Amino acid sequence: MTNPFAPPIDLSHLPNYRQADARPRRAVFLGRVSTKDHQNPASSIPRQVVLASERLEEGEEFVAYFWDVESGMLPPDLRGLGPQEMYDALAVPTPRDGGLQDLVDRAEQLGVTHVLAERSDRMARAMLTSLTVEHELERLGAEVVYANEPVGGTKSGQLRSRRYGQVEAEVYRTVLNEMSMGGQIQHAINGWNHGYAPYPYITLIDENAPAREKGRFGADRPKKKLAPHPDSRRFDAARELCRLRREEHLKGPDIVAILKAEPDRYPIEGEWTYNRVEGLVSNPKLTGYQVYNRRASRTGRAGFSRRNPISQWVWSPKVVHKPVVSLEEWMQAQEVTAGLRAGVEGGPLLRIRAAASRLGLTVTAVSSNATHTLYRIGTRQIVLPSPVPDTLVQQVIEDMGSAA
């Protein structure tokens, strides 16, 4: 900026008239595209480069390019987690030296003096994230410049323009979240499934669901509802493992052992595991209700999601697909699970199974009704009430011992 209060005579020949730059100017590009599906990174990123290049000095070029295909709602440490193969497949003509977090980590090493971006929301839609990154880059000696900000004028005017833009980006982010969450809630209330079908189900397209015509981003994904798996043994297996937890208070490894012992009765791709069993026992969709918002998708650890409290789950107002267990039975299973995790001892049936295991026998539930269950213990069959009274446990154990 030209100094309006210049000296009355020309002093530009004096050695200290201008302060020499201690570092050569080194500018890098910063860009972002929200998704690879609803936007085209191969055209958006080069367009951002052209706009940001307007703030380069004459004859200057970017020394590095940092850009992400990630939501601007994420903090820097969750950005750029996509594999390099994904970025290579996008065929973006602009080279990529990393993402936002890489820029912060390497700015000092590269000697970056200026970070140029099209506008502030290309850095982040959350104002706190933008301010934090800007502060860190400035601490490292790098000035952040947005191409859509006015040139010249007062510093306060420039700052006001920047902060207005960042507030606008964060408000837009909040509106998007509200609209998206509202849409997902309606999706669940109408009985349509999110994600993969649980073990005893498959998903079928709901022919009665309203369908929009093909739009800007192609046809909408069809609405799907859960339906029983063609192999009815899956329904029986899911019902049995829930019963083993609810009535017999068995832990995950014990249930896995029972299911593995009879693969023809309890079929599954691959093999039964602790996580599969616990996931099914805790899955409320087995009650016939559609349930959404059980997990938060972003946790900071790739491949992991955080469980939301039950109070935040969204339930359909009525049963929308065939239930494996009743809602009351599911609730009882969750109570037993909580007790097991708190170290509460198992119930009577757990003691019977332990005694049978010591004798080399297997306890299998053959059939059951509301009050009794028929078990096969070795080659013998026995009917026990549900729940099993403690007074009956010792008698069953002694009978097994005498028969052996």
Side-chain angles (χ1 to χ4, degrees):
M1 183 177 68
T2 303
N3 182 5
F5 308 106
I9 61 174
D10 184 10
L11 301 179
S12 60
H13 62 284
L14 296 179
N16 63 341
Y17 183 75
R18 287 188 176 86
Q19 183 175 2
D21 291 334
R23 300 185 303 163
R25 179 181 166 102
R26 293 175 62 84
V28 299
F29 165 76
L30 176 63
R32 183 187 59 80
V33 178
S34 294
T35 71
K36 61 182 176 62
D37 300 317
H38 289 177
Q39 293 175 290
N40 185 0
S43 61
S44 180
I45 295 298
R47 180 187 64 79
Q48 295 177 40
V49 171
V50 170
L51 294 173
S53 298
E54 296 179 2
R55 292 303 185 91
L56 290 172
E57 293 186 348
E58 186 176 355
E60 184 183 15
E61 295 181 353
F62 289 120
V63 299
Y65 298 82
F66 297 91
W67 50 273
D68 291 315
V69 179
E70 280 285 10
S71 168
M73 304 178 188
L74 298 177
D77 60 328
L78 295 186
R79 295 262 289 272
L81 297 181
Q84 185 59 42
E85 293 77 14
M86 181 199 78
Y87 283 97
D88 293 340
L90 296 175
V92 178
T94 303
R96 183 176 185 271
D97 298 286
L100 178 60
Q101 187 61 56
D102 298 302
L103 168 60
V104 175
D105 293 339
R106 298 169 56 193
E108 188 173 23
Q109 174 190 352
L110 294 173
V112 176
T113 60
H114 294 80
V115 176
L116 309 186
E118 176 195 5
R119 57 180 190 262
S120 63
D121 63 358
R122 295 302 182 185
M123 176 178 287
R125 290 199 182 277
M127 188 173 182
L128 178 60
T129 300
S130 296
L131 294 176
T132 302
V133 174
E134 287 176 10
H135 175 76
E136 179 62 16
L137 290 173
E138 289 175 3
R139 187 186 69 81
L140 298 173
E143 179 185 356
V144 178
V145 179
Y146 300 123
N148 70 331
E149 294 178 350
V151 179
T154 63
K155 181 68 175 178
S156 61
Q158 295 173 349
L159 186 62
R160 182 176 292 107
S161 175
R162 173 167 299 189
R163 296 296 178 257
Y164 282 164
Q166 290 168 328
V167 168
E168 185 179 75
E170 182 151 353
V171 170
Y172 180 69
R173 177 196 75 157
T174 304
V175 170
L176 281 180
N177 271 336
E178 291 172 347
M179 294 174 64
S180 175
M181 189 64 177
Q184 298 299 334
I185 288 174
Q186 291 302 314
H187 190 275
I189 288 176
N190 289 328
W192 297 318
N193 188 60
H194 292 82
Y196 297 104
Y199 165 77
Y201 297 102
I202 59 173
T203 54
L204 296 177
I205 295 176
D206 184 1
E207 301 293 346
N208 298 320
R212 295 191 309 176
E213 295 182 2
K214 184 176 181 180
R216 174 185 173 192
F217 302 126
D220 283 353
R221 286 180 294 181
K223 308 295 185 183
K224 296 183 178 182
K225 287 192 172 184
L226 294 178
H229 196 280
D231 188 345
S232 60
R233 294 177 299 173
R234 287 181 174 241
F235 237 71
D236 296 335
R239 186 177 291 114
E240 175 64 6
L241 70 86
C242 290
R243 189 197 67 79
L244 290 170
R245 172 60 53 83
R246 182 182 67 254
E247 296 183 5
E248 303 194 21
H249 296 207
L250 294 188
K251 297 181 179 179
D254 300 317
I255 297 177
V256 169
I258 292 172
L259 299 178
K260 281 185 175 181
E262 298 186 75
D264 291 337
R265 187 179 182 188
Y266 308 122
I268 192 171
E269 297 90 353
E271 64 178 8
W272 287 102
T273 64
Y274 174 85
N275 287 338
R276 279 181 165 180
V277 166
E278 293 296 336
L280 275 174
V281 169
S282 64
N283 195 328
K285 293 183 182 180
L286 270 60
T287 65
Y289 290 85
Q290 189 56 250
V291 185
Y292 170 67
N293 201 39
R294 295 167 55 216
R295 294 178 178 271
S297 59
R298 298 288 184 176
T299 63
R301 297 175 63 196
F304 289 84
S305 55
R306 184 184 69 250
R307 293 179 182 271
N308 288 329
I310 296 177
S311 61
Q312 294 181 9
W313 295 2
V314 176
W315 297 70
S316 61
K318 61 182 180 180
V319 171
V320 292
H321 52 261
K322 183 178 179 180
V324 174
V325 294
S326 69
L327 187 55
E328 290 73 18
E329 289 173 331
W330 179 85
M331 179 183 66
Q332 292 167 10
Q334 309 319 302
E335 293 171 346
V336 173
T337 298
L340 291 173
R341 290 176 178 172
V344 177
E345 290 297 325
L349 276 168
L350 189 59
R351 288 150 52 197
I352 293 176
R353 286 187 180 277
S357 178
R358 289 193 295 270
L359 296 171
L361 303 176
T362 301
V363 180
T364 303
V366 178
S367 61
S368 64
N369 57 29
T371 59
H372 290 76
T373 300
L374 173 64
Y375 292 94
R376 184 174 62 250
I377 304 178
T379 59
R380 302 175 61 193
Q381 290 189 340
I382 182 173
V383 176
L384 297 175
S386 301
V388 181
D390 288 333
T391 55
L392 191 58
V393 173
Q394 190 58 38
Q395 179 182 340
V396 172
I397 293 175
E398 290 176 358
D399 289 345
M400 285 192 298
S402 60

